[in-house]
């Protein structure tokens, strides 16, 4: 909120004389102004949201999809956006909910076709309550899993209060909104004693490019996906469970064969994510590693042929 203006006493205008500046001083002033303008332009162009957090950095071109890996500390939040449609996957802990809403609005999103809750842990669904309360949402997609927490109860209450339709999804289902096409690869039908293995795993395809969003799926879920025979190979992998050693097994990596991997984790988190052995595995495979704890929000675009990092 802007600070209130200080009240000032108006003074009558005074007669002044015009003084002509020497040419040398005028030239110095001109060059100083030019230097400031160039510096401002460079900061605006290369600084991105770090220097100008409120600006909309990119608008999707026709036929283009943007994927925003939103920095929500130790949690997950992903916006998938085309010219006319948008899907949100998770929104971090409750304290990040308003930040996610602001990011969506800055990106020009006023309506979400789908909100996907990968699984009912608060670092994934906590912030979704803010989203459901403040934006128009067409449908919520979630797995057949529950959790006895305040964050999950608030999430369910927001769904009920706004009469939002819900789909309980599992492997084999498809999600489509305009040019945004995703297939659900996991979980298989339950029960899943470990809620992480109930995580919805989604594969987004656009032309020859693809993204794999894995939630907190661990080795058991990865093995089920491998056994299913479904296509796992993806250009970009969102690394499972924030880079925990319980996920991203060697066999799973060999099947996905990503070019780049995004790790959503909080700086200095108490879990030690991402774990060194996962980082070493990705590095040995020649995968480019991008981390929200190092870079903040990560934005990629795909036209169906190439993926660009912004």
């Amino acid at each position: 909120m802007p600070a209130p203006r200080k009240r000032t006493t108006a003074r009558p205008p005074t007669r002044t004389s015009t003084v002509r500046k020497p040419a040398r001083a005028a030239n110095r002033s001109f060059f100083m102004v030019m230097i400031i303008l160039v510096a401002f332009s460079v900061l605006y162009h290369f600084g991105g949201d770090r220097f100008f957090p409120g600006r909309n950095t990119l608008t999707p071109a026709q036929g283009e999809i943007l994927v925003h890996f939103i920095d929500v500390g130790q949690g997950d939040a992903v916006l998938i956006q085309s010219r006319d449609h948008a899907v949100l996957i998770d929104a971090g802990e409750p304290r990040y909910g308003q930040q996610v809403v602001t990011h969506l609005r800055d990106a020009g999103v006023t309506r979400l076709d789908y909100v996907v809750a990968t699984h009912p842990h608060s670092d994934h669904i906590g912030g979704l309550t803010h989203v459901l309360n403040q934006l128009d949402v067409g449908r919520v997609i979630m797995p057949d899993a529950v959790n006895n927490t305040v964050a999950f109860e608030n999430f369910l209450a927001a769904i009920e209060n706004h009469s939002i339709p819900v789909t309980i999804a599992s492997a084999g289902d498809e999600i489509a909104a305009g040019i945004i096409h995703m297939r659900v690869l996991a979980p298989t039908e339950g029960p899943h004693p470990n809620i992480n293995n109930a995580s919805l795993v989604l594969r987004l395809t656009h032309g020859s490019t693809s993204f794999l969003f894995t939630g907190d799926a661990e080795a058991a879920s990865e093995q089920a996906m491998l056994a299913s025979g479904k296509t796992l190979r993806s250009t970009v992998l969102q690394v499972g469970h924030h880079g925990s050693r319980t996920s991203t097994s060697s066999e799973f990596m060999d099947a996905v064969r990503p070019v780049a991997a995004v790790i959503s984790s909080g700086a200095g988190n108490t879990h030690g994510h991402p774990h060194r052995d996962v980082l070493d595995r990705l590095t040995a495979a020649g995968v480019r590693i991008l981390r929200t704890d190092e870079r903040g929000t990560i934005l990629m675009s795909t036209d169906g042929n190439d993926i660009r990092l912004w």
Side-chain angles (χ1 to χ4, degrees), residues 281-296:
R281 196 173 300 141
L282 292 166
T283 300
V287 179
R288 182 177 184 183
I289 301 171
L290 305 166
R291 298 167 49 173
T292 59
D293 61 333
E294 295 178 342
R295 302 174 65 100

Side-chain angles (χ1 to χ4, degrees), residues 80 191 286:
I80 303 169

Side-chain angles (χ1 to χ4, degrees), residues 183-264:
R183 179 180 292 274
V184 180
L185 301 182
T188 56
E189 293 186 4
H192 299 283
N194 182 345
I195 291 179
N196 286 340
N197 287 323
S199 290
L200 290 174
V201 176
L202 309 173
R203 183 172 181 264
L204 167 71
T205 56
H206 187 47
S208 61
T209 65
S210 49
F211 293 75
L212 189 61
F213 309 101
T214 59
D216 278 356
E218 298 186 358
S221 179
E222 292 177 356
Q223 287 299 319
M225 285 185 275
L226 290 167
S228 73
K230 296 287 193 307
T231 299
L232 298 177
R233 186 172 184 181
S234 301
T235 319
V236 177
L237 167 67
Q238 186 186 27
V239 174
H241 201 183
H242 319 288
S244 169
R245 62 173 59 92
T246 60
S247 307
T248 322
S249 62
S250 297
E251 296 84 359
F252 191 70
M253 274 282 298
D254 290 343
V256 179
R257 288 191 284 170
V259 174
V262 176
I263 302 176
S264 298

Side-chain angles (χ1 to χ4, degrees), residues 13-265:
T14 57
R15 186 182 302 276
T16 59
S17 59
T18 302
V19 178
R20 186 180 300 275
K21 290 183 179 180
R24 184 177 301 173
N27 287 339
R28 281 201 300 268
S29 298
F30 174 79
F31 285 119
M32 285 300 295
V33 169
M34 291 302 297
I35 289 171
I36 291 170
L37 289 175
V38 169
F40 185 91
S41 177
V42 169
L43 283 176
Y44 189 89
H45 184 73
F46 294 105
D49 291 339
R50 179 175 301 175
F51 295 102
F52 302 91
R55 75 183 181 98
N56 183 6
T57 56
L58 198 61
T59 300
Q62 194 66 41
E64 182 180 56
I65 292 176
L66 305 184
V67 180
H68 310 234
F69 296 91
I70 306 170
D71 180 15
V72 289
Q74 185 65 18
D76 274 9
V78 180
L79 170 64
I80 303 169
Q81 179 187 19
S82 68
R83 174 66 67 89
D84 303 310
H85 299 276
V87 176
L88 179 68
I89 304 174
D90 294 336
E93 292 278 4
R95 65 180 179 274
Y96 287 101
Q98 192 57 51
Q99 179 177 315
V100 171
V101 170
T102 299
H103 183 95
L104 298 181
R105 287 176 171 163
D106 286 347
V109 175
T110 57
R111 183 181 190 277
L112 291 162
D113 295 88
Y114 300 103
V115 162
V116 179
T118 58
H119 65 295
H121 278 157
S122 64
D123 59 328
H124 290 255
I125 56 90
L128 289 179
T129 299
H130 289 77
V131 175
L132 300 181
N133 285 336
Q134 296 184 55
L135 291 176
D136 180 20
V137 174
R139 180 173 293 272
V140 168
I141 298 176
M142 57 193 293
D144 186 12
V146 297
N147 201 11
N148 186 25
T149 62
V150 172
F152 187 59
E153 290 173 0
N154 289 342
F155 170 62
L156 295 180
I159 292 173
E160 184 176 359
N161 290 342
H162 297 283
S163 302
I164 302 172
V166 175
T167 294
I168 303 299
S170 59
D173 292 339
E174 295 188 357
I175 300 169
I179 63 172
I180 300 172
H181 294 276
M182 292 189 285
R183 179 180 292 274
V184 180
L185 301 182
T188 56
E189 293 186 4
H192 299 283
N194 182 345
I195 291 179
N196 286 340
N197 287 323
S199 290
L200 290 174
V201 176
L202 309 173
R203 183 172 181 264
L204 167 71
T205 56
H206 187 47
S208 61
T209 65
S210 49
F211 293 75
L212 189 61
F213 309 101
T214 59
D216 278 356
E218 298 186 358
S221 179
E222 292 177 356
Q223 287 299 319
M225 285 185 275
L226 290 167
S228 73
K230 296 287 193 307
T231 299
L232 298 177
R233 186 172 184 181
S234 301
T235 319
V236 177
L237 167 67
Q238 186 186 27
V239 174
H241 201 183
H242 319 288
S244 169
R245 62 173 59 92
T246 60
S247 307
T248 322
S249 62
S250 297
E251 296 84 359
F252 191 70
M253 274 282 298
D254 290 343
V256 179
R257 288 191 284 170
V259 174
V262 176
I263 302 176
S264 298
S265 61

